[in-house]
């Protein structure tokens, strides 16, 4: 990917000149503060000090000199190679000028930031965007994010997050593409293309950093940072493919995950970071630890001292240290003691310099202010609205939707006017004032509505004001109520695992009171993970999954519930009956006693064994008919085709999903596996033939050795609207 004779020669020449201190400096990324690069309060600094996450020296610096960056001397001495958290061009150029013009060798800095789903133009959270099943949009939003971030001096984003996860108790499902490996792999490749383009040195492109490598989404119990234990076969089948797809698409960097895999922390896992990633996949970019990830190996217990952690990490292939200075503090001594070789240090420096050169940072280190900023421009907002429209999933509709523009409605719920709740998790540069709430959009469209929040603004209790609701229901002339319920975006994302997926506070009671008052109930879910909402779905006349849709949230919710856009989203994750049913996912094994209505079956006796809403689910205001399924073999490929007809009276977009089930294998196989999806846009009455080809290699699996097996088998083939139904055929292949 990035290795060329010219670049490697340039690196050799530079390495020759570098002192040990300058080499180790390239391996250190500093933050403006020690916690992932964000300004922190004195209280947080004190907590960090007490927790041993920072030393007294760092604490003093934070407390006394947060307003300016003491690290300027470090830059002059060449003992820092990168910053996280710088997000304005003047600050970036100020620090860069010191590096390029005042340090001995003038090696430029590389600036990183978490630009996960947009920079100033904030797009839907990834779990929502994945519901579009639209690779072009995955790529487009990343391209726009790169254009806006690069204006602010950012050359590198810690995204895409491509952790497959089957357990919504894990708060970070919001940051990723959901439960399916195939969808996550297409998402990963599209994001790398969008962020990086074909040439990293082009001004408005930035390096991707694919994370968290690997299997972080399989943390036991859905509990963040928890241990991960699985066979290599499962690791290779479910969790590694999105990273392989990203590397194949040319990813410049990766970030090892906090968790261990089978007892070996990813940060110091040589098989993962070197043997699999570099020797098997041919990756030639660089790896940066997650925040303090090297230090955390001491907490994991696999490293007794900071020196052990530094030695294990550099030997495993973790090139850059985000934030804990273990390389800075320990590598000189480790080299002296012969525990680490100069070659191992040079290898890490070489990987980092290779990407800095590929970015053209040596030739154009400074960010040029564009004549006209692209941030929040009309084109970007239009794309954000389009993606938000398509991320919405119509879960249930008894006909109450779409609403008519002239009908009066009552809007209730905490989220109705909360712009800041529309942005989602991991939003650093997005601003509340840029976002549109539902009530903003209804006002713009002159809809006749009343808004009564009824729920207090405490995001951890969400207490219902019954009197306020009773008054509103008694006094309104509206026969339809739009109720917004869910979870605050501030309780989703990192370190936000939950043991309960049910709605908190009085939200369910609010829905119940609305129904008891004889009103039509349109429930909009505002959430960052699948919630356990069987009873709420039951009592709603319509239910719409609105996730965290970004700055255009209100416009998109209006577009869908008023029929300006025919909903086309399909769920990227399964909605379980309750927390106790987790993990629940579509591509599960059949077991020897498949779940059924009978007594002796693999299920819980106190709740249904089917999900409330399955992976791939989503309704439309029209209807699609699937017919004429044919499956045949041609030149050692499976050729699958079917006719899709819009049999309703509204144009719309359908996501045709192709699943297989392998009947013969020496290893248990999922009841279904998504192997392809295609979008079709159909006018009423229109039919389109959708054809998909699958190679033998795409139908293989890993046995316990693990070895990849592509033996012949009878296959079930499904061409479907979601992961439960569809046309079925079988073929021996
Ligand atoms: C965090 C996250 C990671 C993020 C990093 C820098 O702890 O795990 O996803 O990129 O710190 O902010």
């Amino acid at each position: 990917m990035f290795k060329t004779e010219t670049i490697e020669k340039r690196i050799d020449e530079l390495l020759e000149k570098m002192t040990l201190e300058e080499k180790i400096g390239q391996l250190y990324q500093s933050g403006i503060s020690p916690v992932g690069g964000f300004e922190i309060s004195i209280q947080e600094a004190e907590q960090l000090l007490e927790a041993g996450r920072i030393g007294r020296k760092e604490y003093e610096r934070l407390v006394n000199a947060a307003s300016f960056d003491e690290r300027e001397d470090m830059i002059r001495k060449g003992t820092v190679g990168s910053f996280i958290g710088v997000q304005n061009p003047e600050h970036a150029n100020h620090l860069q000028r010191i590096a390029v013009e005042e340090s001995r060798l003038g090696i430029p800095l590389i600036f990183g930031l978490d630009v996960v789903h947009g920079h100033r133009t904030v797009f839907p959270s990834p779990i929502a965007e994945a519901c579009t099943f639209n690779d072009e949009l995955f790529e487009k939003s990343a391209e726009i994010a790169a254009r806006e971030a690069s204006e602010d001096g950012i050359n590198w984003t810690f995204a895409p997050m491509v952790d497959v996860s089957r357990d919504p108790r894990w708060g970070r499902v919001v940051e990723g593409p959901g439960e399916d490996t195939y969808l996550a792999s297409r998402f990963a490749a599209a994001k790398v293309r969008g962020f990086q383009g074909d040439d990293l040195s082009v001004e408005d492109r930035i390096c991707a950093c694919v994370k968290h490598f690997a299997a972080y989404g399989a943390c036991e119990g859905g509990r963040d940072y928890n241990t991960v234990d699985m066979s290599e076969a499962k690791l290779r089948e479910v969790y590694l493919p999105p990273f392989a797809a990203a590397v194949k698409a040319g990813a410049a960097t990766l970030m090892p995950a906090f968790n261990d895999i089978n007892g070996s922390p990813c940060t110091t896992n040589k098989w993962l970071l070197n043997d699999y990633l570099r020797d098997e996949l041919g990756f030639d970019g660089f790896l940066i630890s997650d925040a303090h990830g090297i230090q955390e190996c001491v907490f994991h217990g696999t490293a007794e001292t900071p020196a052990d952690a530094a030695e294990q990490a550099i030997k495993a292939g973790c090139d850059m240290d985000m934030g804990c200075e273990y390389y800075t503090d320990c590598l000189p001594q480790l080299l002296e003691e012969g525990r680490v070789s100069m070659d191992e240090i040079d290898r890490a420096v070489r990987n980092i310099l290779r990407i800095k050169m590929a970015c053209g940072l040596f030739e154009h280190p400074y960010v040029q202010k564009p004549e006209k900023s692209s941030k929040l421009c009309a084109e970007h907002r239009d794309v954000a609205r389009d993606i938000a429209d398509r991320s919405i999933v119509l879960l249930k509709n008894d006909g109450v939707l779409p609403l008519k523009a002239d009908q009066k409605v009552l809007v209730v719920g905490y989220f109705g006017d909360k712009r800041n709740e529309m942005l989602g998790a991991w939003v650093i540069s997005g601003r509340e004032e840029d976002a549109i709430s539902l009530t903003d959009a209804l006002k713009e469209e002159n809809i006749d509505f009343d808004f009564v929040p009824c729920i207090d603004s405490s995001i951890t209790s969400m207490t219902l004001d019954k009197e306020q609701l009773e008054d509103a229901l008694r006094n309104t002339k509206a026969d339809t109520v739009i109720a917004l319920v869910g979870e605050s975006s501030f309780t989703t994302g990192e370190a936000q695992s939950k043991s309960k997926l049910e709605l908190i506070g009085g939200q369910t009671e609010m829905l119940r009171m609305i129904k008891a008052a004889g009103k039509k109930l349109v429930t909009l879910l505002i959430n960052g993970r699948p919630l356990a909402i069987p009873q709420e779905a039951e009592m709603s006349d319509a239910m719409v999954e609105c996730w965290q849709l970004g700055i255009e949230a209100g416009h998109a919710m209006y577009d869908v519930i008023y029929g300006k856009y025919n909903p086309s989203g399909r769920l990227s994750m399964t909605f379980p009956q309750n927390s106790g049913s987790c993990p629940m996912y579509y591509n599960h094994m059949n077991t020897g006693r498949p779940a059924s209505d009978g007594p002796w079956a693999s299920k819980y006796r106190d709740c249904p064994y089917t999900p409330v809403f399955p992976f791939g689910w989503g309704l439309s205001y029209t209807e699609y008919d699937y017919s004429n399924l044919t499956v045949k073999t041609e030149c050692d490929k499976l050729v699958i085709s079917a006719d899709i007809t819009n049999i309703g009276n509204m144009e719309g977009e359908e996501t045709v999903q192709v699943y297989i089930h392998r009947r013969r294998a020496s290893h248990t196989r999922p009841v279904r596996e998504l192997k392809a999806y295609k979008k079709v846009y159909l006018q009423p009455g229109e039919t389109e033939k959708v054809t998909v080809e699958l190679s033998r290699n795409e139908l293989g699996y890993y046995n316990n050795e693990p070895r990849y097996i592509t033996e012949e088998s009878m296959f079930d083939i499904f061409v479907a609207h979601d992961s439960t139904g569809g046309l079925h055929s079988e073929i021996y292949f």
Side-chain angles (χ1 to χ4, degrees):
M1 319 279 180
F2 301 100
K3 259 186 190 154
T4 67
E5 213 172 299
T6 318
I7 283 203
E8 296 312 295
K9 197 166 172 315
R10 282 179 66 191
I11 295 171
D12 290 341
E13 288 160 6
L14 195 45
L15 273 174
E16 273 297 303
K17 299 173 194 162
M18 293 171 81
T19 64
L20 175 64
E21 192 182 49
E22 288 164 337
K23 289 180 179 178
I24 295 173
Q26 288 301 308
L27 312 187
Y28 176 48
Q29 178 186 70
S30 173
I32 302 172
S33 71
V35 182
F38 311 115
E39 279 306 344
I40 59 173
S41 67
I42 301 296
Q43 291 70 23
E44 281 176 284
E46 282 162 6
Q47 284 160 13
L48 284 166
L49 181 67
E50 277 150 37
R53 299 282 295 270
I54 55 172
R56 169 66 55 185
K57 185 168 59 103
E58 178 60 12
Y59 171 75
E60 297 299 341
R61 190 204 68 75
L62 256 182
V63 168
N64 302 326
S67 57
F68 70 92
D69 194 327
E70 222 176 37
R71 291 173 167 78
E72 294 175 3
D73 288 339
M74 292 175 74
I75 301 173
R76 275 185 198 90
K77 285 186 281 187
T79 58
V80 58
S82 170
F83 275 91
I84 174 176
V86 173
Q87 42 181 310
N88 81 57
E90 294 74 22
H91 190 190
N93 283 339
H94 168 70
L95 298 179
Q96 192 70 294
R97 197 156 286 112
I98 295 170
V100 171
E101 297 171 22
E102 295 180 32
S103 77
R104 196 175 70 86
L105 293 170
I107 298 173
L109 299 163
I110 184 167
F111 295 103
L113 191 74
D114 291 278
V115 183
V116 180
H117 52 106
H119 187 56
R120 275 298 300 281
T121 299
V122 178
F123 295 100
S125 294
I127 191 172
E129 188 183 37
C131 296
T132 68
F133 280 75
N134 189 319
D135 300 36
E136 289 70 37
L137 294 181
F138 298 155
E139 184 171 338
K140 185 71 185 165
S141 60
E143 182 189 340
I144 289 172
R147 185 175 307 129
E148 294 191 353
S150 56
E151 278 185 37
D152 282 347
I154 296 152
N155 331 100
W156 177 28
T157 176
F158 305 121
M161 188 273 219
V162 297
D163 299 311
V164 170
S165 182
R166 299 163 153 178
D167 195 330
R169 291 173 295 178
W170 189 47
R172 302 199 76 165
V173 297
V174 67
E175 299 171 52
E179 72 186 47
D180 181 70
T181 301
Y182 177 77
L183 175 57
S185 300
R186 287 187 53 173
F187 177 90
K191 287 296 177 189
V192 169
R193 292 193 300 268
F195 285 129
Q196 298 188 175
D198 300 328
D199 176 356
L200 275 178
S201 67
V202 169
E203 205 164 342
D204 63 358
R205 296 293 187 167
I206 60 177
C207 294
C209 182
V210 196
K211 68 186 187 183
H212 302 81
F213 190 51
Y216 186 10
C219 50
E220 195 173 273
R223 210 171 77 224
D224 206 355
Y225 314 119
N226 203 4
T227 185
V228 169
D229 203 279
M230 66 176 71
S231 66
E232 187 182 326
K234 183 172 180 180
L235 183 65
R236 284 177 173 274
E237 260 195 38
V238 179
Y239 298 94
L240 291 179
F243 293 95
V247 168
K248 191 173 174 199
T253 71
L254 269 76
M255 180 187 289
F258 285 127
N259 55 282
D260 72 284
I261 298 178
N262 306 334
S264 170
C266 295
T267 308
T268 56
N269 188 321
K270 182 180 173 301
W271 174 84
L272 185 70
L273 306 189
N274 186 68
D275 307 354
Y276 173 74
L277 182 63
R278 292 189 188 277
D279 296 351
E280 206 171 309
L281 296 186
F283 175 68
D284 63 1
F286 76 84
L287 291 150
I288 181 169
S289 74
D290 202 337
H292 305 274
I294 298 173
Q295 178 183 38
E296 293 186 9
C297 294
V298 177
F299 306 144
H300 275 292
T302 47
E304 270 186 86
T305 64
D308 291 346
E311 177 188 4
Q312 292 166 18
I314 195 92
K315 283 180 175 305
C318 180
D319 301 305
M320 191 181 277
D321 161 15
M322 182 189 281
C324 74
E325 297 186 65
Y326 274 27
Y327 283 174
T328 308
D329 296 345
C330 305
L331 284 180
Q333 182 71 22
L334 288 165
L335 184 69
E336 198 155 303
E337 293 167 0
R339 292 171 59 181
V340 168
S341 70
M342 185 60 90
D343 283 351
E344 285 164 331
I345 293 173
D346 284 353
R347 178 186 63 184
V349 178
R350 180 182 289 282
N351 291 333
I352 293 163
L353 291 178
R354 183 177 304 120
I355 295 302
K356 287 188 173 183
M357 288 176 183
C359 289
L361 286 173
F362 285 81
E363 290 72 30
H364 48 80
Y366 305 115
V367 54
Q368 311 299 331
K369 215 169 169 64
E371 263 155 56
K372 189 172 178 326
S373 170
S374 69
K375 287 186 273 186
L376 289 174
C377 67
E379 184 221 334
H380 291 182
R381 285 202 87 113
D382 288 347
V383 173
R385 181 168 186 165
D386 182 42
I387 295 175
D389 283 347
R390 296 163 188 273
S391 301
I392 291 175
V393 184
L394 180 58
L395 298 173
K396 176 183 179 185
N397 182 24
D398 73 352
V400 65
L401 293 180
L403 300 177
K404 294 176 183 54
D406 61 359
Q407 76 181 87
K408 183 161 180 71
V409 290
L410 171 64
V411 179
V412 299
Y414 160 75
F415 298 95
D417 62 347
K418 296 290 184 306
R419 296 182 184 127
N420 64 337
E421 287 285 3
M422 301 295 108
L423 295 176
W426 274 113
V427 171
I428 295 171
S429 310
R431 295 179 192 168
E432 174 177 353
E433 61 268 25
D434 299 335
I436 303 289
S437 69
L438 177 64
T439 52
D440 290 331
L442 298 181
K443 280 179 201 142
E444 279 178 22
E445 297 297 334
N446 300 314
I447 298 291
D448 180 6
F449 76 99
D450 296 321
F451 170 58
V452 183
C454 303
I455 295 280
D456 76 352
S457 291
S458 155
I459 61 172
T460 51
S461 59
M462 293 204 179
T463 311
L464 173 63
D465 181 335
K466 284 191 175 180
E467 264 175 51
Q468 194 187 57
L469 180 57
E470 281 159 356
D471 289 347
L473 290 169
R474 191 173 36 252
N475 300 328
T476 184
K477 293 186 175 48
D479 62 7
T480 300
V481 179
I482 301 172
L484 293 93
V485 296
E487 59 176 349
S488 166
S489 63
F490 301 97
T491 67
T492 65
E494 184 174 356
Q496 294 290 347
S497 292
K498 289 179 180 170
S499 65
K500 296 183 190 67
L501 297 174
E502 287 71 21
L503 293 180
I504 65 166
Q507 298 185 96
T508 304
E509 180 58 17
M510 179 176 79
L511 302 182
R512 204 172 283 121
M513 287 173 67
I514 292 164
K515 283 310 288 176
K519 301 296 182 183
K520 279 281 190 185
L521 172 58
V522 175
T523 301
L524 306 188
L525 296 177
I526 311 294
N527 47 313
R529 77 187 87 201
L531 296 175
I533 37 96
Q535 49 179 332
E536 294 81 356
E538 180 62 34
M539 66 176 87
S540 299
D541 299 290
M543 180 171 265
V544 190
E545 177 50 77
C546 297
W547 302 113
Q548 303 157 348
L549 291 169
I551 59 170
E552 285 293 316
H555 287 150
M557 287 188 266
Y558 163 76
D559 289 344
V560 167
I561 61 179
Y562 282 87
K564 305 303 176 194
Y565 178 75
N566 184 2
S568 61
R570 300 285 178 267
L571 286 181
S572 54
M573 268 191 96
T574 299
F575 276 57
Q577 292 288 341
N578 52 36
S579 321
S581 306
C582 293
M584 178 175 256
Y585 48 96
Y586 87 93
N587 45 355
H588 58 82
M589 299 304 176
N590 204 28
T591 77
R593 300 227 172 157
S596 71
D597 296 332
W600 310 104
S602 176
K603 64 180 183 183
Y604 299 99
R605 300 305 290 266
D606 56 356
C607 73
Y609 57 82
T610 52
V612 177
F613 298 110
F615 172 82
W617 177 261
L619 298 176
S620 164
Y621 292 144
T622 188
E623 216 183 312
Y624 302 101
D625 177 65
Y626 285 54
S627 60
N628 302 331
L629 171 60
T630 63
V631 185
K632 56 182 188 280
T633 55
E634 256 172 39
C635 321
D636 203 32
K637 279 183 187 288
L638 272 187
V639 181
I640 302 160
S641 67
D643 290 339
I644 316 299
T645 305
N646 179 345
I647 57 174
N649 50 23
M650 190 172 182
E651 63 192 59
E653 184 168 73
E654 170 67 331
T655 302
V656 181
Q657 301 158 39
V658 179
Y659 297 87
I660 66 140
H661 166 245
R662 168 184 274 272
R663 289 194 199 163
R664 175 168 169 261
S666 59
H667 203 271
T668 55
R669 302 303 309 144
V671 294
R672 281 200 191 203
E673 296 173 68
L674 182 68
K675 289 296 180 185
Y677 56 80
K678 276 198 173 176
K679 316 285 287 184
V680 286
Y681 195 85
L682 299 169
Q683 296 297 330
E686 188 181 359
T687 296
E688 184 170 328
K689 182 175 289 297
V690 171
T691 301
V692 160
E693 287 188 0
L694 294 176
S695 69
R696 186 172 298 284
N697 200 48
E698 290 173 272
L699 305 179
Y701 69 97
Y702 282 94
N703 68 9
N704 260 335
E705 290 178 41
R707 192 160 50 83
Y708 196 63
I709 310 285
T710 58
E711 69 197 349
E712 292 185 342
S713 165
M714 181 61 86
F715 286 92
D716 294 294
I717 306 294
F718 304 90
V719 176
H721 169 85
D722 61 68
S723 60
T724 57
L727 300 178
H728 169 252
S729 182
E730 59 185 38
I731 187 165
Y732 190 80
F733 177 64

